[in-house]
Amino acid sequence: MSKMLSKFQLPRLLCHSLCRRKNSTNLLPFNFLYNPFCTTADSTQIAESTELPSWVKFSETQNSATADSDDDFVIPSLAHWVQNHQHHAHGKVVKPTLSETDVDKISKILKNRYPSPDDVVQALNGSGVIASTSLVEQLLKRFSNDWIPASGVFVWAKVQTGYRHSPELYDSMVDVLGKSRKFHTMWELVEEMNQLGGYVTLVTMSKVMRRLAKAGRYEEAVEAFRNIVRFGVSKDIVAMNVLMDALVKENSVEHAHDVFLEFKNVIPLDSHSFNVLINGWCEARKLDHAKKAMEDMEKHGFQPNVSSYTCFIKAYSHEKDFRKVDEILDEMKDKGCTPNVVTYTIVMHALGKARRVTEALEVYEKMKRTGCVPDTSFYSSLIFILGKAGRLKDARDLFEDMQKQGVSRDVLTYNTLISCYCSHLQEETALKLLQKMEEDSCKPDLKTYAPLLKMCCRKKRMKVLYILLDHMFRNDISIEVGTYSLLVHGLCKNGKLEHACLFFEEMVLKGMVPNDCTYKMLMEEVGGKSMTKAKEHIEKLMSNAKEQRSI
């Protein structure tokens, strides 16, 4: 342990003056634009920007929104990487087991808008592509937030001679339908799986219950659990804990508690059941209920463990009540319950967010005294704290030192450091980290791109933004409503209303319902610019989206 964080001796970190480092970057134009709204051109080809539709243009009484000179800039040091992604689908991140041609060919067809899955099937029947498990798996990931093309691919492959979906692909399709709130179709698919025999597992029903809970259909999620044995899945404590956890995570600890009361006398409980409730009450800031759950835990013969106490520590940390945090740590010590790395990471992270950086860094000393070894999440949290304090060099040095200390860098670590650089608008370094992820065979996720997209909106780097969206697609990451909302908000704030309108339209066309705040913000912005046709079009889109959601 004495060698741990060797380059980061605590005195050096504690006495380091807070500073913000800004990189000056000379940017040059780079002639490349990816247009995600084009439904006929191959996204890998260089193409000129298409003419904006009439509804999205500024009124003639306003100055036309001329292209900002920043729109077409790409950092010179990254131009080769951009060109490489322009011509190659995956680079080093994805290791395809099938021909890229098939994936790209089908993806190009799916980028068109289709009114129903049957229309997708008809379009794919003429593709000449033979279905395979790996092809379907990759396409379901790429279109996981767009249920029509995903369903079309699933049906198209299923009817091909000699092909049969694996149970895992059925589970993926169940999740896609649940995410899109197509619950009637989702249940039809579950029934089909049941008829196949052995296809429905706890994994399947977990996806069903979580998606129902996510949609606020708490009673339906509970009912799915009540009837779980009909699908050959045991109604045991593992399944019950999954349900309770789903309800808690979707802000309904009350329903989780009702489930607990309903089944506690017929299903043998375990310590995890109580910890789920304790966590739920703590998240809801109902600490008296959480304490009562801990008392019940002891009455049932289970001793509160580190997870139980950490729930309270997280709650008090969130409220910045660090006196209570210390009291709980002392109580744990008295009861012989040693805090783990999760406990310490939560405390350190909370102190850092409260700008008590010195105390946050001192948490490491407490860890050493208990022999607790930092893990990837601890390092990521420390990187976040240093980045938030403006100490980007220290954050980067810590990032580089991780592997020397035997701790591997994962997607969370990269995401944290990328977010730090994006928050300080250091775009070259942030984008080079994305490039480094590829070199390290660390696949990005949705949270990797969110700060990068937000930064592009702030700096009006539209060409880079579209390149990133294409990069996401090629890494099989499907954009969901949160990312679309981020784009609409960011582009509105920075005067890119035409692009904001087009992203809003694409979100609705994929069957998503924009948040009310996103809709209102866009309406206010286009109204202020007298974009009459755009305002009318957006109103119609929102109305249609809500109507479809209610079906």
Side-chain angles (χ1 to χ4, degrees):
M1 281 301 294
S2 60
K3 294 182 179 180
M4 190 64 70
L5 291 176
S6 59
K7 288 183 67 179
F8 294 95
Q9 297 302 318
L10 264 278
R12 176 175 175 270
L13 285 175
L14 294 173
C15 69
H16 195 291
S17 60
L18 299 184
C19 63
R20 294 197 176 197
R21 308 168 69 91
K22 295 184 179 179
N23 291 340
S24 58
T25 307
N26 295 320
L27 301 177
L28 296 174
F30 180 74
N31 296 320
F32 174 72
L33 176 62
Y34 168 64
N35 178 9
F37 307 108
C38 178
T39 59
T40 56
D42 189 340
S43 64
T44 61
Q45 295 178 344
I46 298 175
E48 294 297 323
S49 174
T50 57
E51 180 71 11
L52 289 171
S54 60
W55 65 266
V56 83
K57 292 181 180 179
F58 281 82
S59 71
E60 294 181 0
T61 60
Q62 298 285 336
N63 292 328
S64 177
T66 56
D68 192 307
S69 59
D70 286 342
D71 288 9
D72 295 333
F73 286 161
V74 172
I75 298 168
S77 62
L78 293 166
H80 177 73
W81 179 68
V82 169
Q83 285 177 308
N84 185 54
H85 279 284
Q86 174 184 332
H87 297 293
H88 300 281
H90 297 286
K92 295 182 180 179
V93 176
V94 179
K95 298 178 181 178
T97 58
L98 62 156
S99 113
E100 293 179 355
T101 304
D102 286 349
V103 176
D104 292 339
K105 189 173 183 178
I106 296 296
S107 295
K108 180 179 175 182
I109 295 171
L110 295 178
K111 282 185 180 180
N112 290 280
R113 301 309 311 172
Y114 297 97
S116 72
D118 288 341
D119 293 297
V120 175
V121 174
Q122 187 174 353
L124 295 181
N125 281 338
S127 67
V129 174
I130 298 174
S132 67
T133 298
S134 53
L135 173 67
V136 176
E137 180 183 19
Q138 193 167 342
L139 289 170
L140 289 185
K141 287 180 181 178
R142 284 192 175 188
F143 295 90
S144 64
N145 289 295
D146 200 352
W147 78 276
I148 290 179
S151 296
V153 166
F154 193 82
V155 174
W156 163 76
K158 184 171 59 175
V159 298
Q160 288 196 12
T161 304
Y163 174 83
R164 181 170 179 171
H165 285 311
S166 66
E168 291 76 18
L169 284 179
Y170 269 97
D171 287 341
S172 295
M173 194 64 232
V174 166
D175 196 53
V176 169
L177 293 169
K179 188 189 301 185
S180 300
R181 302 193 181 195
K182 300 299 175 183
F183 294 116
H184 178 73
T185 309
M186 178 192 75
W187 278 117
E188 287 182 340
L189 190 61
V190 173
E191 292 289 351
E192 179 182 321
M193 294 172 69
N194 194 38
Q195 292 174 9
L196 289 170
Y199 269 52
V200 180
T201 64
L202 179 57
V203 173
T204 314
M205 297 308 295
S206 296
K207 292 181 184 298
V208 168
M209 292 185 291
R210 290 189 183 281
R211 288 303 174 188
L212 287 168
K214 182 78 173 176
R217 300 190 178 202
Y218 306 122
E219 292 295 344
E220 292 179 43
V222 175
E223 193 62 27
F225 172 73
R226 291 192 183 109
N227 297 317
I228 202 169
V229 292
R230 189 170 75 81
F231 300 102
V233 181
S234 298
K235 190 191 295 183
D236 56 18
I237 191 57
V238 177
M240 178 176 148
N241 287 343
V242 168
L243 171 63
M244 290 173 57
D245 184 67
L247 294 168
V248 162
K249 286 180 177 176
E250 301 308 329
N251 306 312
S252 187
V253 63
E254 292 82 4
H255 279 88
H257 187 241
D258 289 343
V259 169
F260 178 86
L261 294 177
E262 180 179 348
F263 294 101
K264 70 175 185 176
N265 294 324
V266 293
I267 297 177
L269 303 172
D270 63 11
S271 61
H272 184 56
S273 311
F274 291 96
N275 282 335
V276 170
L277 280 181
I278 291 169
N279 179 56
W281 292 124
C282 284
E283 289 288 334
R285 302 295 179 265
K286 295 183 177 181
L287 299 184
D288 289 341
H289 289 70
K291 292 173 184 175
K292 176 65 167 56
M294 185 178 280
E295 291 172 3
D296 289 344
M297 184 178 189
E298 293 182 283
K299 289 177 182 177
H300 279 78
F302 300 105
Q303 285 300 312
N305 54 27
V306 63
S307 297
S308 314
Y309 287 107
T310 298
C311 294
F312 287 95
I313 286 175
K314 184 178 179 182
Y316 287 121
S317 294
H318 182 83
E319 296 175 358
K320 300 180 182 179
D321 189 347
F322 296 108
R323 183 183 62 81
K324 292 291 293 184
V325 169
D326 288 337
E327 287 180 6
I328 295 174
L329 289 172
D330 289 339
E331 181 180 344
M332 292 176 70
K333 182 179 178 180
D334 293 341
K335 293 190 176 182
C337 183
T338 305
N340 60 17
V341 67
V342 176
T343 313
Y344 285 118
T345 302
I346 288 171
V347 176
M348 183 180 70
H349 197 81
L351 286 166
K353 289 184 72 173
R355 300 186 182 278
R356 297 167 66 166
V357 180
T358 300
E359 294 172 72
L361 298 175
E362 287 173 347
V363 170
Y364 173 62
E365 292 296 334
K366 294 181 181 179
M367 288 181 64
K368 286 199 298 184
R369 288 195 292 271
T370 62
C372 185
V373 180
D375 62 3
T376 303
S377 295
F378 181 89
Y379 274 94
S380 298
S381 184
L382 185 51
I383 288 169
F384 167 82
I385 291 168
L386 293 170
K388 189 175 180 65
R391 296 163 62 166
L392 296 184
K393 185 179 185 305
D394 284 338
R396 184 58 183 258
D397 287 346
L398 182 62
F399 173 84
E400 297 295 342
D401 196 56
M402 285 178 65
Q403 288 184 316
K404 296 177 184 177
Q405 305 304 326
V407 183
S408 60
R409 299 188 295 241
D410 63 6
V411 65
L412 173 62
T413 319
Y414 274 102
N415 290 356
T416 304
L417 192 58
I418 286 173
S419 182
C420 288
Y421 281 110
C422 286
S423 65
H424 289 85
L425 299 181
Q426 295 196 15
E427 56 184 318
E428 181 174 11
T429 308
L431 290 166
K432 281 186 175 180
L433 278 169
L434 178 61
Q435 182 181 6
K436 185 172 177 59
M437 289 184 77
E438 294 185 317
E439 296 169 356
D440 289 351
S441 298
C442 181
K443 189 169 182 178
D445 61 15
L446 196 59
K447 292 181 180 178
T448 309
Y449 294 97
L452 291 166
L453 296 173
K454 188 175 181 179
M455 179 182 64
C456 287
C457 291
R458 289 179 65 186
K459 294 181 75 70
K460 302 181 182 180
R461 300 285 197 249
M462 300 312 301
K463 188 165 293 186
V464 178
L465 185 144
Y466 288 128
I467 290 167
L468 286 171
L469 291 173
D470 187 41
H471 196 267
M472 291 175 66
F473 183 75
R474 293 177 182 281
N475 277 301
D476 306 322
I477 297 172
S478 181
I479 303 179
E480 37 64 85
V481 66
T483 305
Y484 277 115
S485 298
L486 180 155
L487 291 168
V488 173
H489 278 260
L491 293 169
C492 279
K493 288 180 180 178
N494 294 285
K496 294 294 181 182
L497 290 183
E498 303 100 320
H499 297 276
C501 288
L502 290 172
F503 279 119
F504 187 91
E505 181 181 48
E506 184 172 284
M507 175 171 28
V508 173
L509 290 177
K510 286 186 176 181
M512 303 175 195
V513 179
N515 298 323
D516 286 336
C517 61
T518 304
Y519 169 66
K520 289 176 183 177
M521 181 179 191
L522 186 56
M523 287 291 286
E524 289 175 2
E525 292 293 330
V526 297
K529 293 292 184 180
S530 300
M531 297 169 67
T532 306
K533 288 185 178 179
K535 189 173 183 180
E536 292 174 353
H537 189 73
I538 291 164
E539 283 181 319
K540 185 175 181 181
L541 284 169
M542 190 66 176
S543 177
N544 289 342
K546 289 185 174 180
E547 183 179 338
Q548 287 298 316
R549 176 54 58 88
S550 64
I551 296 177

